[in-house]
Amino acid sequence: MRTASDWLAELVSFDTTSRNSNLALIDRVESYLAGLGAECHRIESPDGKKANLHAVLGPHVDGGVVLSGHTDVVPVDGQDWKTDPFTLTERDGKLYGRGSCDMKGFIACALAKAPGFAKAELKRPVHFAFSYDEEIGCLGAPDMIRQMAGHSPRPSCVIVGEPTEMAVVTGHKGLYSVRVEVTGKEAHSSLVEDGACATTYAVRLMHWLVQESDKLKAAAPDDSPFTPPYGTLTIGQMGGGTATNILAKSAWFESLMRPAPWDDGPGLGRRLVEEAARIEAEMQRYAPEAKITVTTRSNVPPLRPEDMGEAETLARALTGDNSPRVVAYGTEGGQFQEAGFSTVICGPGSITQAHQADEFVAISELDACMRFLDKLEQRLSA
């Protein structure tokens, strides 16, 4: 029987950086799970170049458990790796390779455990849910989640195996990002009423966002469990203009909000569109062709603690971890929860390794995950 380390070596060898296709990996995993008797459903991306995979092992009944992981990884460009990032390398009890921690380690454990699930007399099924494009805004999972929510058998809870060192995480912030493009009219910088300076008006919108960021900070409850305790909003990129003495024809910026569970990311996006329309009207007094376009790039809901929901109860029983814990980063967990599935985050490895050069997962973490899945098999067979 292949070990989790064996599977991890194979998974790491597929360069599934988000800009690439993941189909070769999906082909391999689907063939393997189908060979074990799993009912497999492939949910392709609109262009057909990528796919999610939903596979079910066990009886065709409701109430199963989802093991969820994303197949894509972040780029290695510009990073100083000591080993080939797409060849798994063992050193001092650690397995190095891109995605080893985030999050092919969990997928490898699930695949290594699959023959055990297939042989067991499960009373409830195991669902494998492997997605694409998580790293660029959790873009792939929603189509798969809709398919899972609308078809039988319907699982009762979801375990997203992002790296938590096998601790139980019950909540996290969301992700809401926008790109704003401002089109003005060029003119000599001394003739400000002959044109509309796109960069100047872009700055006004950015200032409005900074003020909204202050409101997020003020809205945080005193007992917030997050670090920092409030939802955050940042402007990560900006550009525009031709020269200092020319009113800029175009400008752009991108902003990222990480809403806490009590914040409303889409609501802020709607208010931004309204503010952009107000500023656009001002620009059009001088340049009728002026416009401002706001495009939502990602909208990932936060994961809200469920107060001992089914997923949390299960994960705590399997790990023995009873500590309250939330994280600031986002996952697909909020998307599962929004579709009505009880959800927690629990997986091998440390988030501090994610996206880093020389990313690794400790072999001891994979071993702990395998023990977790052994207990899950016993639970589903009882």
Side-chain angles (χ1 to χ4, degrees):
M1 183 179 297
R2 302 189 73 196
T3 67
S5 296
D6 294 334
W7 269 111
L8 185 55
E10 184 169 358
L11 295 175
V12 166
S13 73
F14 292 99
D15 181 357
T16 53
T17 304
S18 301
R19 61 180 173 237
N20 300 332
S21 172
N22 72 335
L23 292 182
L25 184 152
I26 292 295
D27 287 343
R28 171 69 175 107
V29 173
E30 181 177 19
S31 175
Y32 168 70
L33 292 175
L36 294 173
E39 176 184 335
C40 296
H41 306 275
R42 185 182 293 216
I43 303 93
E44 294 187 344
S45 62
D47 62 7
K49 295 180 180 179
K50 300 179 183 181
N52 301 300
L53 180 65
H54 172 214
V56 186
L57 271 176
H60 193 88
V61 298
D62 293 344
V65 176
V66 178
L67 303 177
S68 167
H70 63 82
T71 63
D72 62 316
V73 298
V74 297
V76 299
D77 306 34
Q79 293 186 334
D80 185 18
W81 282 73
K82 296 181 178 64
T83 60
D84 179 354
F86 298 106
T87 299
L88 194 69
T89 303
E90 180 180 350
R91 187 171 66 248
D92 300 327
K94 301 172 183 176
L95 298 172
Y96 292 83
R98 174 53 88 222
S100 57
C101 172
D102 184 20
M103 58 177 300
K104 290 180 176 179
F106 180 75
I107 296 175
C109 290
L111 295 177
K113 183 59 187 175
F117 287 132
K119 293 177 183 177
E121 296 182 1
L122 300 179
K123 301 296 190 300
R124 292 183 290 154
V126 175
H127 296 250
F128 302 86
F130 302 142
S131 66
Y132 67 89
D133 282 0
E134 189 271 353
E135 295 289 6
I136 54 175
C138 298
L139 304 181
D143 285 342
M144 175 174 60
I145 294 170
R146 279 190 290 270
Q147 184 267 345
M148 295 172 68
H151 293 79
S152 177
R154 181 183 171 91
S156 63
C157 64
V158 179
I159 298 168
V160 180
E162 291 278 4
T164 66
E165 297 178 290
M166 295 308 297
V168 179
V169 169
T170 60
H172 63 60
K173 293 181 180 180
L175 185 72
Y176 187 85
S177 64
V178 296
R179 180 179 175 90
V180 178
E181 296 176 290
V182 182
T183 302
K185 180 183 177 182
E186 287 185 329
H188 193 280
S189 61
S190 67
L191 304 172
V192 294
E193 293 190 358
D194 285 358
C197 184
T199 52
T200 298
Y201 287 102
V203 167
R204 289 177 60 179
L205 265 179
M206 286 188 279
H207 177 65
W208 183 87
L209 285 170
V210 170
Q211 292 177 313
E212 291 297 308
S213 176
D214 291 340
K215 293 178 184 178
L216 291 175
K217 188 173 183 179
D222 293 336
D223 61 350
S224 169
F226 291 96
T227 303
Y230 47 87
T232 59
L233 194 159
T234 57
I235 296 166
Q237 291 184 295
M238 57 187 292
T242 302
T244 306
N245 58 356
I246 301 175
L247 301 186
K249 182 177 181 179
S250 63
W252 64 273
F253 65 88
E254 294 194 358
S255 178
L256 174 65
M257 177 185 182
R258 293 188 179 273
W262 52 83
D263 296 320
D264 182 3
L268 185 142
R270 289 189 293 270
R271 296 197 304 277
L272 173 62
V273 170
E274 292 170 357
E275 181 67 12
R278 188 186 66 79
I279 292 176
E280 180 184 79
E282 289 187 28
M283 296 176 69
Q284 290 174 347
R285 291 168 51 196
Y286 307 102
E289 68 270 34
K291 64 178 181 179
I292 301 176
T293 302
V294 179
T295 304
T296 300
R297 300 293 296 272
S298 58
N299 180 15
V300 182
L303 179 66
R304 304 173 187 276
E306 299 174 2
D307 191 20
M308 291 306 292
E310 184 169 353
E312 179 182 355
T313 299
L314 173 64
R316 293 200 185 286
L318 298 179
T319 61
D321 174 24
N322 293 311
S323 300
R325 191 177 289 101
V326 298
V327 293
Y329 59 83
T331 77
E332 295 165 339
Q335 294 174 319
F336 278 102
Q337 187 183 66
E338 192 172 59
F341 297 109
S342 178
T343 305
V344 293
I345 315 300
C346 184
S350 169
I351 194 62
T352 60
Q353 288 302 311
H355 304 184
Q356 303 297 311
D358 297 325
E359 176 184 352
F360 70 82
V361 64
I363 294 175
S364 60
E365 286 288 307
L366 298 184
D367 291 341
C369 187
M370 292 304 298
R371 291 192 295 271
F372 175 91
L373 295 176
D374 287 342
K375 293 178 181 178
L376 177 61
E377 177 195 318
Q378 296 169 12
R379 189 115 176 167
L380 294 176
S381 301

